Amino acid sequence: MHTTRIKGLTIAALGVLFITPDALLVKITSVEPVVFLFWRGLLLTVSFFAISWLRYRSRLVGEIRRCGWKGAFCACAFAVSTLGFVVGMKNTAAGNVLVILNTAPVIAALIAWLIWKETLPLRTWVIIVVCVTGATIMAIGELGRGDPLGLVMAAVAATALASNLNVARSKPDSDMSVVLMFGALALAGAAALAGGVQLPSARDSFFIALLCLVFLPLACILIQIGPRYIPAAEVSLMLLLETVLGSFLVWLFLGEVPPTLSLAGGVVVFSALATHGWMEVSRYRRAKRTLG
């Protein structure tokens, strides 16, 4: 049990590390959101298929079928969460979007409790509350007005992410990462219908390709696999770390100095997640000594 939890936390943490450059690479491109969404979806489709094929070869079709209707749901939820995030960012202040997205761990925990009767230990709830508070403090500096559509889409993104991870958690015998290619393809199709089929400049093409052929595929697959070993709420909790590390990269490479509140909130999130990891490793070592 403890070995499984450590494995799940490690997989989710690695996924977060790979997704960290997302904000930086999005910021340094100058394409329209719909164009970015088209290429993001198209390149991710290719990447997801290539990785899944390398992992399963002739067994890939069977692995996709094993996911069943839950796999179809995860694919759709993946597309909706990505779409909601981008549309939300375009129509309201970034701080508004982040505050709403930061509720994903709570939404995931509530969905797990209401539908699958899965409960979290008190220590995990404490970490969730501390991390959500810290992440919200980070976003306060960017709070602002915006179109209500942006707020609605941010809420849709948070709910879709939490639902996706919960459904993946409910079927741990299936690898839901193999269906992500269909969600990415649906995203590309929707963006194409909205006029996103445009060729970016050579510079933007390089950064989009780097993000969508290297970092995002590995990140999304690892994060999608995470719920096979730990609750969906804990996977989405780990994603809050991306807010901290992503902001640090933007600061490091683009010189965008975050406000004091963002720094304070980042310290809270990082410290809470580090404490959570330390506690889990300590519990694993004690259990190992007991069994030994």
Side-chain angles (χ1 to χ4, degrees):
M1 177 63 178
H2 291 292
T3 304
T4 300
R5 282 188 54 74
I6 293 297
K7 183 177 182 179
L9 289 170
T10 302
I11 288 173
L14 285 174
V16 171
L17 288 178
F18 278 113
I19 207 174
T20 295
D22 191 5
L24 173 64
L25 293 176
V26 168
K27 272 185 167 290
I28 59 180
T29 58
S30 56
V31 297
E32 290 295 318
V34 68
V35 177
F36 185 86
L37 274 174
F38 170 73
W39 288 105
R40 184 179 181 122
L42 185 63
L43 294 179
L44 279 178
T45 301
V46 175
S47 301
F48 287 148
F49 174 76
I51 293 173
S52 297
W53 176 256
L54 287 173
R55 292 176 65 203
Y56 291 104
R57 302 283 182 170
S58 60
R59 296 181 290 116
L60 179 57
V61 174
E63 196 66 31
I64 292 172
R65 287 177 176 171
R66 186 187 298 181
C67 294
W69 70 266
K70 290 185 176 181
F73 179 91
C74 286
C76 292
F78 172 76
V80 170
S81 63
T82 304
L83 183 63
F85 174 77
V86 173
V87 174
M89 282 292 188
K90 184 180 179 183
N91 287 277
T92 190
N96 293 343
V97 177
L98 291 175
V99 167
I100 295 174
L101 285 177
N102 290 340
T103 63
V106 178
I107 296 173
L110 291 175
I111 291 174
W113 175 63
L114 289 171
I115 299 179
W116 283 284
K117 311 303 178 185
E118 182 180 38
T119 57
L120 296 175
L122 179 60
R123 65 180 183 277
T124 304
W125 272 111
V126 171
I127 294 294
I128 286 176
V129 171
V130 172
C131 284
V132 169
T133 301
T136 301
I137 290 173
M138 287 186 67
I140 285 176
E142 296 186 48
L143 282 173
R145 288 182 157 183
D147 191 326
L149 173 64
L151 301 177
V152 171
M153 292 307 293
V156 167
T159 305
L161 171 63
S163 300
N164 174 14
L165 296 177
N166 263 297
V167 171
R169 169 72 171 170
S170 72
K171 199 169 184 181
D173 58 321
S174 298
D175 182 0
M176 294 296 180
S177 70
V178 298
V179 300
L180 291 180
M181 67 180 87
F182 301 110
L185 185 61
L187 182 66
L193 292 176
V197 186
Q198 300 177 34
L199 189 64
S201 66
R203 175 183 175 276
D204 286 341
S205 295
F206 170 76
F207 288 122
I208 292 173
L210 180 63
L211 177 64
C212 298
L213 294 178
V214 180
F215 291 110
L216 279 183
L218 294 172
C220 292
I221 286 175
L222 288 168
I223 291 167
Q224 192 70 42
I225 291 174
R228 299 180 72 179
Y229 306 101
I230 57 175
E234 289 194 76
V235 177
S236 53
L237 179 64
M238 297 294 289
L239 284 171
L240 295 183
L241 186 59
E242 189 268 334
T243 304
V244 179
L245 298 179
S247 298
F248 175 73
L249 285 182
V250 171
W251 180 13
L252 186 64
F253 288 96
L254 300 183
E256 293 187 11
V257 181
T260 304
L261 275 178
S262 293
L263 290 173
V267 170
V268 171
V269 174
F270 187 82
S271 299
L273 289 176
T275 301
H276 181 52
W278 176 78
M279 289 170 58
E280 290 300 330
V281 170
S282 297
R283 291 176 69 242
Y284 168 73
R285 287 175 175 171
R286 285 197 300 270
K288 191 174 180 180
R289 282 197 300 266
T290 301
L291 293 174

